[in-house]
Amino acid sequence: SNNVMRTCLDRFKSDREVLLKAVENGLDWSLVPEEMQTDPEFSIEAIQRNPRVYTELSESMRSNDRIARVAIETDGVEDDVILEATEQCPQLLCDRDAMLVIARSWHTDVLQETLRFSPIELRDDKQIMLEAVKNNPAAFEFCSETLWNDRDIVLATLEKKPLYLYLVNELF
């Protein structure tokens, strides 16, 4: 079936929409013509349709801040894609909007990993940390000292996981 796909792709190799639909449905990125693989706009559209594509891009494309940002902001993105994007573009860990997207996501492991390496200014941002503890009460431990004493943060942490009371108790 790969031969059938290659024959079909040869016929439509310059048709963006056909290629994007194929990528959306799981076409191996290596089968996409090189001129499309190196086109940032095509790559962004492909990621928006299938976030897994980000991990198959060349290193220079993965290290493009705009492309990495699209990867973490796309619905349905998986943990490893977010981690790869923040590894390739560590400046995203210092970006308030990017961290807010991560904090709002359901990726609890990624959330802890990214908070661990984000600057204290972001861990002192009430909006980011409120979203983070709502999704993962363990994020409480990454809050700044100021936010450890914030009533809304403490309530959101305890509301989600009353057992995290021990974390709050350790701080007082």
Side-chain angles (χ1 to χ4, degrees):
S1 87
N2 247 359
N3 286 339
V4 172
M5 182 58 75
R6 283 175 202 223
T7 303
C8 182
L9 286 174
D10 278 346
R11 210 171 285 140
F12 294 100
K13 65 183 171 197
S14 61
D15 188 320
R16 287 175 79 87
E17 195 53 42
V18 168
L19 290 170
L20 285 168
K21 184 55 87 174
V23 167
E24 179 181 340
N25 289 299
L27 175 70
D28 189 313
W29 188 250
S30 67
L31 297 176
V32 173
E34 190 175 336
E35 62 271 13
M36 296 293 192
Q37 287 185 27
T38 56
D39 176 352
E41 296 311 313
F42 181 83
S43 297
I44 286 171
E45 285 183 65
I47 291 166
Q48 289 170 329
R49 293 174 181 226
N50 180 354
R52 170 111 341 258
V53 165
Y54 177 80
T55 63
E56 298 178 40
L57 298 176
S58 68
E59 189 166 343
S60 65
M61 293 292 271
R62 286 193 324 269
S63 63
N64 178 306
D65 184 71
R66 189 165 148 248
I67 291 173
R69 184 179 300 278
V70 168
I72 67 168
E73 292 175 352
T74 300
D75 288 339
V77 64
E78 296 174 15
D79 289 5
D80 61 321
V81 175
I82 294 175
L83 288 173
E84 175 72 16
T86 56
E87 187 177 304
Q88 289 292 324
C89 297
Q91 64 274 19
L92 292 175
L93 297 174
C94 301
D95 182 280
R96 185 177 190 280
D97 293 333
M99 287 303 295
L100 200 49
V101 167
I102 294 169
R104 287 183 176 143
S105 78
W106 53 270
H107 301 284
T108 56
D109 292 341
V110 169
L111 181 59
Q112 286 184 301
E113 193 68 21
T114 53
L115 286 173
R116 178 175 289 120
F117 297 108
S118 64
I120 190 66
E121 299 82 36
L122 291 179
R123 290 183 283 131
D124 194 39
D125 184 307
K126 184 173 177 175
Q127 185 181 8
I128 290 173
M129 295 312 295
L130 194 54
E131 293 292 338
V133 298
K134 283 179 182 176
N135 285 318
N136 181 0
F140 183 81
E141 69 181 284
F142 297 104
C143 287
S144 67
E145 286 190 43
T146 303
L147 292 182
W148 283 342
N149 296 303
D150 184 279
R151 185 175 190 275
D152 297 330
I153 297 284
V154 170
L155 282 174
T157 302
L158 296 176
E159 184 176 305
K160 187 80 172 194
K161 199 91 155 179
L163 294 175
Y164 275 77
L165 185 59
Y166 80 89
L167 267 177
V168 177
N169 282 337
E170 282 183 20
L171 302 171
F172 296 107

